[in-house]
Amino acid sequence: MVNRVLLDTNGLKVSAIGKDVFTASNADLLLNSNFITPNLLISGTYTVTSTRITYVYIPFGKRFTKAPMFAVQQYLPGTGQIDEFYGSYDSRGRFVTVPSRIKLQPTFMELRTLVPCTFIYKVWDYSL
Amino acid sequence: MIIQHDADGRIYHVVNDPVHPLVAQQYHGQPNTIFLSPMPGEVEPLYDEKGNPLLDQFGEPLTQVVGAFVPVCDIMSDYVENGKLKKRPIFIHPPEIELAVGESVVIDVPAGATAMVDDQSYTIDDGVLEIVGEMPAEYEVTVTKWPYMEAKIQVVIHEA
């Protein structure tokens, strides 16, 4: 039987079944007290009802020093989900977090006459 | 829950519960914004194993709060009127109408509603939508009148 629990001056670690906690990689740990667990800061739904709106900002109520993690899904009527993004930033500039707010930008520029377009978003904060 | 709506009560943004105080702070005082909080559920009396009401030291019945009322909002089927969240009303209509050429049918709709047929819109001031079978055809009539839910009526007109 392998050792699965380690408590020392570096913290607490618990490894997965069959993995030795002394040699386990981070992927094989069920718990590491040094990991940072993000907490949900805000979640909601925003519907863009006008074709004139090119983007909207959702304020967080705080400024981030470390980029939060966010998830956005975008839906169109009759089409269903057309886009989604999970992560800390979107290199394509569609859904972007800035220090105090998230920018939701419809990604269907060629389909802009289709409204309402609905975003479902969640933002997790590492410092909550 | 935080709900933002336009001047007509159309909801465009919902912040789900639990709302973090930092987030709530951002929305306090904003126009056309309402806050709905979860409320405690029903208060029910407590009983012992024989079914007798449990009493406290003053002889008052002991109670417990069961569950909670958590506000739920659907952007498409709800709206805000006078600061209250309400379901958008539905007007009763047949989903499909079949007529012969020369026949007609009358449907009651909300006064001031708009009927759309083949990208043409018609205002129905008197609340009476009359569909007349002029020639064989199949089309869809979309009736809108805020805050009523949009209604779609399939019309089939065949030879007399």
Side-chain angles (χ1 to χ4, degrees):
Chain A
M1 182 179 288
V2 297
N3 295 303
R4 293 189 54 211
V5 179
L6 172 61
L7 177 63
D8 60 14
T9 54
N10 293 319
L12 173 66
K13 292 179 181 177
V14 178
S15 61
I17 294 172
K19 302 292 181 183
D20 189 330
V21 73
F22 289 103
T23 57
S25 65
N26 282 339
D28 291 328
L29 291 177
L30 299 179
L31 172 73
N32 182 339
S33 59
N34 293 316
F35 288 169
I36 298 171
T37 305
N39 286 305
L40 186 66
L41 173 66
I42 183 172
S43 74
T45 306
Y46 197 107
T47 295
V48 176
T49 54
S50 168
T51 55
R52 287 173 298 168
I53 295 175
T54 54
Y55 59 83
V56 293
Y57 281 117
I58 309 293
F60 298 134
K62 66 174 289 186
R63 293 181 71 82
F64 289 104
T65 51
K66 178 177 171 56
M69 184 166 71
F70 67 101
V72 177
Q73 292 176 319
Q74 183 185 338
Y75 294 85
L76 281 181
T79 308
Q81 184 180 327
I82 62 161
D83 206 357
E84 63 181 352
F85 183 78
Y86 305 93
S88 292
Y89 68 94
D90 177 2
S91 58
R92 285 201 276 159
R94 301 165 303 171
F95 315 123
V96 185
T97 52
V98 292
S100 63
R101 57 196 179 173
I102 188 171
K103 180 183 184 183
L104 301 177
Q105 185 163 24
T107 58
F108 54 95
M109 299 307 287
E110 72 282 9
L111 301 171
R112 290 195 57 80
T113 54
L114 288 174
V115 290
C117 155
T118 299
F119 293 100
I120 296 175
Y121 66 88
K122 288 191 175 191
V123 178
W124 291 268
D125 182 1
Y126 289 96
S127 59
L128 274 183
Chain B
M1 176 176 284
I2 301 171
I3 297 172
Q4 292 189 289
H5 58 90
D6 66 13
D8 294 326
R10 288 184 179 83
I11 298 166
Y12 61 86
H13 188 202
V14 175
V15 179
N16 300 326
D17 284 320
V19 177
H20 194 282
L22 290 169
V23 174
Q25 213 172 29
Q26 282 292 306
Y27 293 88
H28 276 300
Q30 291 211 13
N32 295 332
T33 301
I34 62 171
F35 289 72
L36 298 177
S37 302
M39 301 289 287
E42 300 284 343
V43 177
E44 293 184 355
L46 287 173
Y47 300 94
D48 63 17
E49 60 274 12
K50 293 178 181 171
N52 301 312
L54 289 173
L55 305 176
D56 65 14
Q57 57 182 323
F58 305 108
E60 296 294 323
L62 287 173
T63 58
Q64 65 176 351
V65 176
V66 179
F69 297 111
V70 179
V72 176
C73 174
D74 183 320
I75 283 186
M76 294 303 168
S77 63
D78 294 340
Y79 78 114
V80 177
E81 186 180 82
N82 298 324
K84 304 282 185 196
L85 183 66
K86 296 184 175 181
K87 282 278 165 213
R88 289 175 61 190
I90 297 169
F91 66 90
I92 307 297
H93 64 88
E96 190 174 309
I97 291 171
E98 211 170 316
L99 294 174
V101 172
E103 292 180 339
S104 65
V105 67
V106 166
I107 301 167
D108 290 330
V109 300
T114 301
M116 286 281 293
V117 182
D118 293 336
D119 295 330
Q120 292 263 6
S121 76
Y122 308 90
T123 303
I124 309 164
D125 292 322
D126 58 0
V128 178
L129 170 64
E130 184 175 16
I131 298 173
V132 179
E134 291 181 338
M135 64 183 79
E138 284 188 29
Y139 55 89
E140 183 178 78
V141 181
T142 303
V143 183
T144 55
K145 169 66 178 170
W146 184 259
Y148 288 88
M149 295 291 286
E150 181 182 272
K152 290 185 184 297
I153 303 169
Q154 302 295 326
V155 178
V156 178
I157 300 170
H158 51 76
E159 296 283 359

